[in-house]
PDB file of all heavy atoms in Angstrom:
ATOM      1  N   ARG A   8     -21.313  17.484 -13.710  1.00 85.00           N
ATOM      2  CA  ARG A   8     -21.474  17.878 -12.339  1.00 85.00           C
ATOM      3  C   ARG A   8     -20.848  16.776 -11.466  1.00 85.00           C
ATOM      4  O   ARG A   8     -20.764  15.618 -11.840  1.00 85.00           O
ATOM      5  CB  ARG A   8     -22.958  18.085 -11.961  1.00 85.00           C
ATOM      6  CG  ARG A   8     -23.503  19.331 -12.634  1.00 85.00           C
ATOM      7  CD  ARG A   8     -24.895  19.581 -12.218  1.00 85.00           C
ATOM      8  NE  ARG A   8     -25.823  18.738 -13.040  1.00 85.00           N
ATOM      9  CZ  ARG A   8     -27.103  18.638 -12.838  1.00 85.00           C
ATOM     10  NH1 ARG A   8     -27.692  19.182 -11.806  1.00 85.00           N
ATOM     11  NH2 ARG A   8     -27.827  17.868 -13.614  1.00 85.00           N
ATOM     12  N   THR A   9     -20.495  17.139 -10.237  1.00 87.00           N
ATOM     13  CA  THR A   9     -19.829  16.161  -9.363  1.00 87.00           C
ATOM     14  C   THR A   9     -21.000  15.299  -8.663  1.00 87.00           C
ATOM     15  O   THR A   9     -22.114  15.685  -8.661  1.00 87.00           O
ATOM     16  CB  THR A   9     -19.068  16.873  -8.249  1.00 87.00           C
ATOM     17  OG1 THR A   9     -19.961  17.589  -7.407  1.00 87.00           O
ATOM     18  CG2 THR A   9     -17.987  17.848  -8.847  1.00 87.00           C
ATOM     19  N   LEU A  10     -20.486  14.208  -8.142  1.00 86.00           N
ATOM     20  CA  LEU A  10     -21.364  13.292  -7.384  1.00 86.00           C
ATOM     21  C   LEU A  10     -21.957  14.060  -6.175  1.00 86.00           C
ATOM     22  O   LEU A  10     -23.178  13.905  -5.866  1.00 86.00           O
ATOM     23  CB  LEU A  10     -20.626  12.048  -6.914  1.00 86.00           C
ATOM     24  CG  LEU A  10     -21.437  10.848  -6.523  1.00 86.00           C
ATOM     25  CD1 LEU A  10     -22.244  10.352  -7.761  1.00 86.00           C
ATOM     26  CD2 LEU A  10     -20.474   9.733  -6.072  1.00 86.00           C
ATOM     27  N   ASP A  11     -21.169  14.868  -5.524  1.00 88.00           N
ATOM     28  CA  ASP A  11     -21.634  15.687  -4.434  1.00 88.00           C
ATOM     29  C   ASP A  11     -22.732  16.593  -4.874  1.00 88.00           C
ATOM     30  O   ASP A  11     -23.750  16.785  -4.184  1.00 88.00           O
ATOM     31  CB  ASP A  11     -20.498  16.438  -3.754  1.00 88.00           C
ATOM     32  CG  ASP A  11     -19.538  15.604  -2.918  1.00 88.00           C
ATOM     33  OD1 ASP A  11     -19.944  14.470  -2.582  1.00 88.00           O
ATOM     34  OD2 ASP A  11     -18.412  16.041  -2.675  1.00 88.00           O
ATOM     35  N   GLU A  12     -22.579  17.277  -5.969  1.00 87.00           N
ATOM     36  CA  GLU A  12     -23.577  18.201  -6.473  1.00 87.00           C
ATOM     37  C   GLU A  12     -24.918  17.491  -6.795  1.00 87.00           C
ATOM     38  O   GLU A  12     -26.003  18.001  -6.533  1.00 87.00           O
ATOM     39  CB  GLU A  12     -23.105  18.902  -7.716  1.00 87.00           C
ATOM     40  CG  GLU A  12     -22.022  19.877  -7.529  1.00 87.00           C
ATOM     41  CD  GLU A  12     -21.404  20.429  -8.813  1.00 87.00           C
ATOM     42  OE1 GLU A  12     -21.400  19.696  -9.838  1.00 87.00           O
ATOM     43  OE2 GLU A  12     -20.948  21.594  -8.766  1.00 87.00           O
ATOM     44  N   LEU A  13     -24.792  16.280  -7.282  1.00 84.00           N
ATOM     45  CA  LEU A  13     -26.023  15.566  -7.673  1.00 84.00           C
ATOM     46  C   LEU A  13     -26.745  14.878  -6.499  1.00 84.00           C
ATOM     47  O   LEU A  13     -27.926  14.742  -6.570  1.00 84.00           O
ATOM     48  CB  LEU A  13     -25.618  14.511  -8.746  1.00 84.00           C
ATOM     49  CG  LEU A  13     -25.227  15.084 -10.073  1.00 84.00           C
ATOM     50  CD1 LEU A  13     -24.658  13.923 -10.982  1.00 84.00           C
ATOM     51  CD2 LEU A  13     -26.365  15.685 -10.765  1.00 84.00           C
ATOM     52  N   TYR A  14     -25.992  14.383  -5.530  1.00 85.00           N
ATOM     53  CA  TYR A  14     -26.595  13.486  -4.533  1.00 85.00           C
ATOM     54  C   TYR A  14     -26.500  13.860  -3.105  1.00 85.00           C
ATOM     55  O   TYR A  14     -27.175  13.227  -2.301  1.00 85.00           O
ATOM     56  CB  TYR A  14     -26.035  12.028  -4.775  1.00 85.00           C
ATOM     57  CG  TYR A  14     -26.439  11.429  -6.054  1.00 85.00           C
ATOM     58  CD1 TYR A  14     -25.575  11.332  -7.078  1.00 85.00           C
ATOM     59  CD2 TYR A  14     -27.733  10.949  -6.213  1.00 85.00           C
ATOM     60  CE1 TYR A  14     -25.949  10.794  -8.302  1.00 85.00           C
ATOM     61  CE2 TYR A  14     -28.146  10.419  -7.386  1.00 85.00           C
ATOM     62  CZ  TYR A  14     -27.258  10.316  -8.423  1.00 85.00           C
ATOM     63  OH  TYR A  14     -27.709   9.760  -9.633  1.00 85.00           O
ATOM     64  N   ILE A  15     -25.699  14.837  -2.700  1.00 87.00           N
ATOM     65  CA  ILE A  15     -25.490  15.059  -1.297  1.00 87.00           C
ATOM     66  C   ILE A  15     -26.831  15.412  -0.571  1.00 87.00           C
ATOM     67  O   ILE A  15     -27.017  15.095   0.622  1.00 87.00           O
ATOM     68  CB  ILE A  15     -24.382  16.086  -0.989  1.00 87.00           C
ATOM     69  CG1 ILE A  15     -23.901  16.004   0.452  1.00 87.00           C
ATOM     70  CG2 ILE A  15     -24.844  17.492  -1.393  1.00 87.00           C
ATOM     71  CD1 ILE A  15     -23.259  14.720   0.825  1.00 87.00           C
ATOM     72  N   SER A  16     -27.727  16.082  -1.246  1.00 85.00           N
ATOM     73  CA  SER A  16     -28.993  16.452  -0.584  1.00 85.00           C
ATOM     74  C   SER A  16     -30.102  15.430  -0.763  1.00 85.00           C
ATOM     75  O   SER A  16     -31.200  15.585  -0.253  1.00 85.00           O
ATOM     76  CB  SER A  16     -29.472  17.789  -1.174  1.00 85.00           C
ATOM     77  OG  SER A  16     -29.791  17.650  -2.573  1.00 85.00           O
ATOM     78  N   VAL A  36     -12.996  11.539  -7.537  1.00 90.00           N
ATOM     79  CA  VAL A  36     -12.856  11.437  -6.072  1.00 90.00           C
ATOM     80  C   VAL A  36     -13.030  12.766  -5.423  1.00 90.00           C
ATOM     81  O   VAL A  36     -13.725  12.945  -4.390  1.00 90.00           O
ATOM     82  CB  VAL A  36     -11.499  10.764  -5.723  1.00 90.00           C
ATOM     83  CG1 VAL A  36     -11.198  10.916  -4.235  1.00 90.00           C
ATOM     84  CG2 VAL A  36     -11.517   9.282  -6.099  1.00 90.00           C
ATOM     85  N   SER A  37     -12.382  13.797  -5.987  1.00 91.00           N
ATOM     86  CA  SER A  37     -12.479  15.153  -5.373  1.00 91.00           C
ATOM     87  C   SER A  37     -13.883  15.642  -5.391  1.00 91.00           C
ATOM     88  O   SER A  37     -14.289  16.348  -4.439  1.00 91.00           O
ATOM     89  CB  SER A  37     -11.565  16.131  -6.166  1.00 91.00           C
ATOM     90  OG  SER A  37     -10.211  15.695  -6.036  1.00 91.00           O
ATOM     91  N   GLY A  38     -14.691  15.316  -6.399  1.00 90.00           N
ATOM     92  CA  GLY A  38     -16.058  15.698  -6.496  1.00 90.00           C
ATOM     93  C   GLY A  38     -17.053  14.825  -5.694  1.00 90.00           C
ATOM     94  O   GLY A  38     -18.220  15.045  -5.794  1.00 90.00           O
ATOM     95  N   ALA A  39     -16.491  13.792  -5.003  1.00 92.00           N
ATOM     96  CA  ALA A  39     -17.327  12.951  -4.245  1.00 92.00           C
ATOM     97  C   ALA A  39     -16.898  12.930  -2.756  1.00 92.00           C
ATOM     98  O   ALA A  39     -17.378  12.099  -1.988  1.00 92.00           O
ATOM     99  CB  ALA A  39     -17.224  11.511  -4.756  1.00 92.00           C
ATOM    100  N   GLU A  40     -16.156  13.899  -2.371  1.00 95.00           N
ATOM    101  CA  GLU A  40     -15.671  13.938  -0.988  1.00 95.00           C
ATOM    102  C   GLU A  40     -16.779  13.901   0.078  1.00 95.00           C
ATOM    103  O   GLU A  40     -16.702  13.140   1.046  1.00 95.00           O
ATOM    104  CB  GLU A  40     -14.777  15.193  -0.737  1.00 95.00           C
ATOM    105  CG  GLU A  40     -14.254  15.230   0.723  1.00 95.00           C
ATOM    106  CD  GLU A  40     -13.329  16.388   1.001  1.00 95.00           C
ATOM    107  OE1 GLU A  40     -13.084  17.211   0.046  1.00 95.00           O
ATOM    108  OE2 GLU A  40     -12.836  16.523   2.078  1.00 95.00           O
ATOM    109  N   GLN A  41     -17.782  14.699  -0.146  1.00 94.00           N
ATOM    110  CA  GLN A  41     -18.891  14.769   0.892  1.00 94.00           C
ATOM    111  C   GLN A  41     -19.589  13.426   0.965  1.00 94.00           C
ATOM    112  O   GLN A  41     -19.946  12.959   2.096  1.00 94.00           O
ATOM    113  CB  GLN A  41     -19.874  15.852   0.508  1.00 94.00           C
ATOM    114  CG  GLN A  41     -19.252  17.266   0.649  1.00 94.00           C
ATOM    115  CD  GLN A  41     -20.283  18.308   0.250  1.00 94.00           C
ATOM    116  OE1 GLN A  41     -21.346  18.463   0.814  1.00 94.00           O
ATOM    117  NE2 GLN A  41     -19.911  19.086  -0.786  1.00 94.00           N
ATOM    118  N   ILE A  42     -19.862  12.781  -0.209  1.00 94.00           N
ATOM    119  CA  ILE A  42     -20.536  11.517  -0.235  1.00 94.00           C
ATOM    120  C   ILE A  42     -19.653  10.458   0.489  1.00 94.00           C
ATOM    121  O   ILE A  42     -20.106   9.627   1.231  1.00 94.00           O
ATOM    122  CB  ILE A  42     -20.785  11.041  -1.675  1.00 94.00           C
ATOM    123  CG1 ILE A  42     -21.837  11.989  -2.354  1.00 94.00           C
ATOM    124  CG2 ILE A  42     -21.156   9.593  -1.764  1.00 94.00           C
ATOM    125  CD1 ILE A  42     -23.264  11.823  -1.845  1.00 94.00           C
ATOM    126  N   ILE A  43     -18.313  10.489   0.156  1.00 94.00           N
ATOM    127  CA  ILE A  43     -17.422   9.464   0.818  1.00 94.00           C
ATOM    128  C   ILE A  43     -17.367   9.681   2.343  1.00 94.00           C
ATOM    129  O   ILE A  43     -17.450   8.682   3.064  1.00 94.00           O
ATOM    130  CB  ILE A  43     -16.019   9.573   0.148  1.00 94.00           C
ATOM    131  CG1 ILE A  43     -16.107   9.191  -1.309  1.00 94.00           C
ATOM    132  CG2 ILE A  43     -14.983   8.712   0.924  1.00 94.00           C
ATOM    133  CD1 ILE A  43     -14.863   9.485  -2.144  1.00 94.00           C
TER     134      ILE A  43
END
Side-chain angles (χ1 to χ4, degrees):
R8 292 184 276 171
T9 68
L10 201 60
D11 286 342
E12 291 171 330
L13 291 170
Y14 292 104
I15 197 65
S16 64
V36 167
S37 297
E40 180 178 0
Q41 293 176 62
I42 294 288
I43 293 169

